Amino acid sequence: MRTHAANLEDLEEALTEASKEQRDQIIHLWGMKGVEIPDFIEAVMESLNTPVCARFVWEYLTEDERHIFYHSLSYAAREGLRRTALQSKSQVPPERFEPAVKHLIELCLLYERQEEMEKGRRGHSRNLPPYGRPAKNQELETVAIVYPFDDYFNTLYKAGREMFTPT
């Protein structure tokens, strides 16, 4: 299965690039399996703001994927989160974290970019130096930043909160 979607920031573009196998999984993910879908991208994009479809997404994911995805949707992570920080926040062991993140990327729920950040900065991408320039005497490092797509953010976050908050 291709993971090209890891580099795509636009959900429609990521869906366009999805393989047949990925498309089948995405259709199942959003609760559309068994439904005739004339336009895959249009069908997925229409499902993004449907609460019942969001529930299907959460039910489809494994327990590890749920924890990782929920933490990627938190307010603190909306601007992206270092992959290592996401692993720490989700408390999923590294040997299970890597395959789970890979699967979330394949399902077009997350995307990843390599970004230059000042060494020692916190995990959020918004902590990049202004205008891409480091502060004087600051070393840069290239890190993997994981992002959720904006297109489904509110709907999936609300459905996820129902699962993760006790009230």
Side-chain angles (χ1 to χ4, degrees), residues 68-115:
I68 293 164
F69 190 53
Y70 184 70
H71 286 284
S72 76
L73 293 174
S74 72
Y75 286 107
R78 286 188 177 195
E79 297 294 320
L81 196 61
R82 285 185 192 219
R83 194 177 180 112
T84 54
L86 181 57
Q87 191 272 321
S88 176
K89 285 181 180 287
S90 67
Q91 298 180 354
V92 174
E95 65 274 6
R96 295 193 332 241
F97 177 82
E98 292 305 323
V101 169
K102 181 181 177 200
H103 192 234
L104 290 168
I105 290 170
E106 289 170 350
L107 292 172
C108 296
L109 291 175
L110 297 176
Y111 68 95
E112 181 177 75
R113 283 194 327 220
Q114 298 294 317
E115 296 182 12

Side-chain angles (χ1 to χ4, degrees), residues 113-125:
R113 283 194 327 220
Q114 298 294 317
E115 296 182 12
E116 295 237 318
M117 296 180 72
E118 290 180 15
K119 272 193 169 180
R121 287 284 187 149
R122 294 181 53 182
H124 310 291
S125 65

Side-chain angles (χ1 to χ4, degrees), residues 125-138:
S125 65
R126 65 177 165 216
N127 290 322
L128 288 169
Y131 310 108
R133 291 177 297 208
K136 288 186 177 185
N137 301 324
Q138 282 291 325

Side-chain angles (χ1 to χ4, degrees), residues 26 35 56-57 64 69 76 117 123 128 154:
I26 293 166
V35 176
F56 276 108
V57 170
D64 288 342
F69 190 53
M117 296 180 72
L128 288 169
N154 290 327

Side-chain angles (χ1 to χ4, degrees), residues 1 21-22 24-31 33 53-63 65-66 103-104 107 109 163:
M1 187 180 299
E21 185 179 343
Q22 283 175 290
D24 290 343
Q25 285 188 21
I26 293 166
I27 286 168
H28 182 77
L29 174 74
W30 288 96
K33 190 171 185 167
C53 292
R55 293 289 299 169
F56 276 108
V57 170
W58 286 105
E59 293 297 324
Y60 178 80
L61 298 176
T62 66
E63 192 67 28
E65 291 167 346
R66 285 182 194 147
H103 192 234
L104 290 168
L107 292 172
L109 291 175
M163 296 181 82

